Amino acid sequence: MSSQLVDRFIKYVKINTRSDESSTTVPSTQSQIDFSKMLMEDLKEIGLSEIEFNEKNGFVTASLEANTDKDVPTVGFIAHIDTADFNAENIQPQFHENYDGQKIVLNEEKSIVLSPEDFPNMKNYVGQTLITTDGNTLLGSDDKSGIVEIIGAVEYLLNHPEIEHGKVRIAFGPDEEIGTGADLFDTDHFAADFAYTVDGGPVGELEYESFNAASADLFIQGKNVHPGTAKDTMVNALKLAVELDTMLPQEEVPEKTDGRDGFYHLLGIEGTVEEAKMGYIIRDHSRELFEEKKQKLTSIVEELNKRFDQKRITLTLKDQYYNMREIIEKDMRSVEIADEAMRNLDIEPDVKPIRGGTDGSKISFMGLPTPNLFAGGENFHGRYEFVAVESMEKAMDVIIEIIKLTHTK
Ligand SMILES: [Zn+2]
């Protein structure tokens, strides 16, 4: 077992770096700043240069200097330090060596079991060393795996100066899980030609297509009068909200779509007869269909508003991120090199559109093509999260291979 990688992983996951959606600071939690400062010490210790913490965006960046005179592209690797909205206090990673393919009791006392019946993906790990939770927390493999794989890769190259490589930039940032971390990323300062987020799932994942994403918030002004004398006067805001939802395409919801099919996802309705609020997220891989979906909702609101002598429904649409494919397609080097790197290591690349977004969705639109590489973890964001040591080793190897291949381009 590659103990350096695993030791670092255990050290990092035990530190609570949960982000907080309700916070207004950057990063959203002090614990992420503390973690970043500790990371900087580790990066210094292994011998990286240009180690910096950016107070404005919360990113730690560092460089592995080129050891060649050849003019080669600068490649970047990015991972996030925060963990998802789930208990991250007192994480106690559990090792299961030579996994036998059977269920794993995570917590005897609370009868929490990680079972292949619920998670058939476990069957892919027979004979490997799994790291799981103790059932009380998430694991934080998302994305501490990515962090240790990147550090492990550059450390390996520092220890093997005979391997020629160009400059490598690395960045560890906050608040990916609350969707804001990459907003202030500084691509000029990062100064890479292309980059990768190392934040994907199982071995082989290579993603350069994400959703286009928008939020839609609706405010509905009703008119409340005594129900006994309400005829032709009352406007029930809640009923309007329900009606509006039924006017949307009923098949275009998350629970009925997959692959490249987009959706409207109703997140909440709350209110009274007098006023109501509702919130949606809108998602589609196709920019055209994405724009159509927003237009559809806008038209429905206009149609409903026509019924009244005043505007009763107010719609606020906000674009959140776009499909990175639009940008990456213009410079496919990052994807081609990652594909080749995996094949060189006998890993079959698994390229598929992400039904979500990554930090790379935003960073790509800032001008830095940034597809997503597997980090190895499974069952993210909850107590059933696990990662195989072998997967982390493979991800580290892929990063090293990408750096080597970039040198030949
Ligand atoms: Zn992640």
Side-chain angles (χ1 to χ4, degrees):
M1 194 156 42
S2 163
S3 67
Q4 184 100 59
L5 186 77
V6 174
D7 290 351
R8 203 172 268 143
F9 179 75
I10 299 303
K11 174 180 162 190
Y12 292 173
V13 295
K14 283 188 168 179
I15 302 170
N16 182 346
T17 53
R18 182 175 177 173
S19 46
D20 177 5
E21 190 153 28
S22 67
S23 165
T24 54
T25 60
V26 179
S28 67
T29 50
Q30 178 63 34
S31 62
Q32 295 184 78
I33 299 177
D34 298 342
F35 184 83
S36 298
K37 299 275 155 89
M38 182 219 63
L39 262 186
M40 292 173 81
E41 291 305 314
D42 288 1
L43 299 179
K44 206 178 291 172
E45 203 182 299
I46 66 169
L48 292 176
S49 61
E50 299 181 311
I51 303 163
E52 293 171 88
F53 178 71
N54 182 323
E55 304 266 347
K56 282 196 192 112
N57 62 18
F59 272 83
V60 172
T61 51
S63 302
L64 171 68
E65 295 301 338
N67 63 1
T68 175
D69 293 333
K70 216 178 134 190
D71 186 22
V72 296
T74 297
V75 56
F77 296 91
I78 302 168
H80 66 88
I81 62 176
D82 65 318
T83 60
D85 194 22
F86 194 87
N87 184 21
E89 196 54 47
N90 193 24
I91 292 174
Q92 297 291 340
Q94 309 289 311
F95 282 84
H96 309 272
E97 279 177 44
N98 194 11
Y99 171 58
D100 61 5
Q102 303 302 305
K103 66 178 185 186
I104 296 173
V105 179
L106 296 177
N107 194 307
E108 188 102 56
E109 202 183 324
K110 296 181 182 165
S111 318
I112 298 169
V113 177
L114 179 62
S115 162
E117 275 174 39
D118 301 325
F119 304 105
N121 48 357
M122 292 173 72
K123 291 285 185 194
N124 301 331
Y125 297 95
V126 173
Q128 302 191 18
T129 298
L130 300 189
I131 308 175
T132 69
T133 73
D134 67 355
N136 291 316
T137 63
L138 47 61
L139 179 61
S141 166
D142 174 15
D143 188 24
K144 306 260 171 69
S145 288
I147 295 176
V148 300
E149 290 152 8
I150 295 169
I151 295 178
V154 291
E155 186 179 31
Y156 177 87
L157 291 167
L158 279 165
N159 292 332
H160 291 81
E162 72 280 8
I163 301 171
E164 282 194 64
H165 57 82
K167 185 168 181 172
V168 179
R169 292 283 281 155
I170 66 176
F172 302 126
D175 296 332
E176 191 271 349
E177 300 290 359
I178 59 172
T180 58
D183 289 350
L184 299 172
F185 186 74
D186 186 346
T187 48
D188 289 341
H189 176 258
F190 195 54
D193 292 287
F194 50 85
Y196 302 87
T197 50
V198 185
D199 190 21
V203 171
E205 270 191 16
L206 169 57
E207 298 154 328
Y208 65 99
E209 192 170 349
S210 59
F211 273 142
N212 295 288
S215 64
D217 290 304
L218 293 125
F219 175 77
I220 304 174
Q221 181 64 61
K223 192 201 282 182
N224 195 7
V225 293
H226 190 285
T229 55
K231 188 159 193 296
D232 300 328
T233 308
M234 178 188 279
V235 178
N236 188 332
L238 282 171
K239 296 279 274 185
L240 259 183
V242 172
E243 186 178 354
L244 184 151
D245 186 68
T246 59
M247 290 167 80
L248 286 167
Q250 295 301 300
E251 299 300 309
E252 297 178 16
V253 290
E255 60 269 40
K256 292 184 183 175
T257 49
D258 59 9
R260 277 197 176 75
D261 294 332
F263 55 72
Y264 303 85
H265 179 33
L266 175 61
L267 293 176
I269 301 187
E270 59 174 43
T272 58
V273 174
E274 183 62 21
E275 55 181 51
K277 282 182 195 166
M278 58 198 310
Y280 289 88
I281 54 171
I282 299 173
R283 299 288 187 262
D284 208 297
H285 287 104
S286 149
R287 186 69 173 258
E288 200 183 325
L289 294 176
F290 172 65
E291 297 301 333
E292 273 179 34
K293 282 192 165 59
K294 288 190 290 178
Q295 189 49 49
K296 172 102 193 163
L297 181 58
T298 307
S299 311
I300 289 171
V301 169
E302 279 167 8
E303 199 183 319
L304 285 169
N305 271 329
K306 273 189 208 148
R307 271 193 216 162
F308 308 101
D309 50 9
Q310 68 177 93
K311 187 177 172 187
R312 295 212 165 262
I313 309 178
T314 312
L315 167 66
T316 311
L317 278 168
K318 214 185 283 168
D319 285 0
Q320 296 168 307
Y321 56 85
Y322 302 107
N323 187 346
M324 56 183 158
R325 180 177 180 156
E326 218 177 296
I327 301 299
I328 293 173
E329 261 178 351
K330 293 176 193 157
D331 177 2
M332 285 291 278
R333 278 181 300 175
S334 56
V335 176
E336 287 159 9
I337 290 172
D339 184 277
E340 193 180 335
M342 288 189 203
R343 290 183 196 283
N344 288 353
L345 297 166
D346 290 321
I347 297 167
E348 181 66 31
D350 179 15
V351 181
K352 58 179 182 223
I354 319 172
R355 292 181 63 76
T358 64
D359 277 346
S361 309
K362 283 179 181 164
I363 293 169
S364 293
F365 274 85
M366 295 171 183
L368 176 63
T370 306
N372 189 35
L373 290 176
F374 71 90
E378 295 262 17
N379 306 342
F380 288 169
H381 299 181
R383 63 179 93 249
Y384 300 107
E385 188 182 7
F386 71 88
V387 67
V389 171
E390 288 81 353
S391 299
M392 289 199 283
E393 288 168 343
K394 283 194 175 124
M396 184 179 116
D397 291 344
V398 167
I399 295 167
I400 294 168
E401 186 68 14
I402 286 172
I403 296 170
K404 285 187 194 168
L405 284 175
T406 303
H407 180 256
T408 67
K409 297 293 156 184

